[in-house]
Amino acid sequence: MDVKDVFDYSKIQYTADGTVPVVVQNYESGEVLALAAMNAEAVEKTFSTGYAHFYEGGEVVRNANTQKVKTAYLNNDGTQLLIKVSQKGKLNAEKNAFSNFARQIKGEYNEIGGEMFGRLQRIVAEYRQNPEDGAYTSFLFARGVDRIGKKVGEEAVELVIAAKNEEKIGVVNEAADLLYHVMVLLNVRDVKISEVCAELCKRNR
């Protein structure tokens, strides 16, 4: 179903300068990519073409790193937009950053929650595309689906064993091992985590 068929953007309330703030989010990982603005023309182009357009420097532009709109949301009073996109490449290639919010100023690096699945998917894909000597992920890809599948099975058993003990850290570690190997297995079969999530959503209805 096309985004423009399910989103009534005529209800958007623009500010005095004719724009509406837009939060741009990666639809797979939930990572916030950018905070931008749209005017009425940018909104029309976004939903008629299916690709994000923004109002910058007095003109409507489309980011060089194509952002295909997957879903869109309007806040309760119609004054803010949230669009979830599939982004091609990195938003800031000069800084080698997938998002404009790559600089963390509070908290620990590992305090990102479910966003890590999106990051891990990209990391795994990069190792498949550009193998590195000595890298474990590259080693797994070189051994093929049978080896990867075997590791998934082994890690699943180890997680069950860890769950029989009282210590939480063992479950955390073994679950991390299992999920990592599952991500590698998904990649070798060209399955994205978003496809798995979509199936889970379908089952939840």
Side-chain angles (χ1 to χ4, degrees), residues 163-179:
K164 291 179 176 293
N165 299 320
E166 293 295 326
E167 292 186 2
K168 181 179 178 179
I169 188 62
V171 177
V172 171
N173 288 336
E174 296 302 337
D177 287 345
L178 174 60
L179 290 171

Side-chain angles (χ1 to χ4, degrees), residues 148-205:
I148 299 169
K150 181 180 178 182
K151 285 297 297 181
V152 170
E154 292 173 355
E155 298 300 344
V157 171
E158 290 179 13
L159 174 59
V160 172
I161 294 172
K164 291 179 176 293
N165 299 320
E166 293 295 326
E167 292 186 2
K168 181 179 178 179
I169 188 62
V171 177
V172 171
N173 288 336
E174 296 302 337
D177 287 345
L178 174 60
L179 290 171
Y180 159 76
H181 286 92
V182 167
M183 292 293 283
V184 176
L185 186 63
L186 291 178
N187 183 276
V188 83
R189 282 293 175 254
D190 296 318
V191 175
K192 289 195 170 185
I193 192 67
S194 58
E195 296 176 85
V196 178
C197 291
E199 178 61 24
L200 289 171
C201 285
K202 184 173 71 175
R203 295 181 185 187
N204 188 49
R205 283 197 161 185

Side-chain angles (χ1 to χ4, degrees), residues 101-109:
F101 291 94
R103 184 172 60 176
Q104 185 175 0
I105 62 172
K106 180 176 172 57
E108 300 297 328
Y109 174 77

Side-chain angles (χ1 to χ4, degrees), residues 111-123:
E111 295 177 321
I112 60 173
E115 288 184 8
M116 188 57 209
F117 286 110
R119 290 188 186 180
L120 180 58
Q121 179 172 264
R122 292 195 298 275
I123 292 169

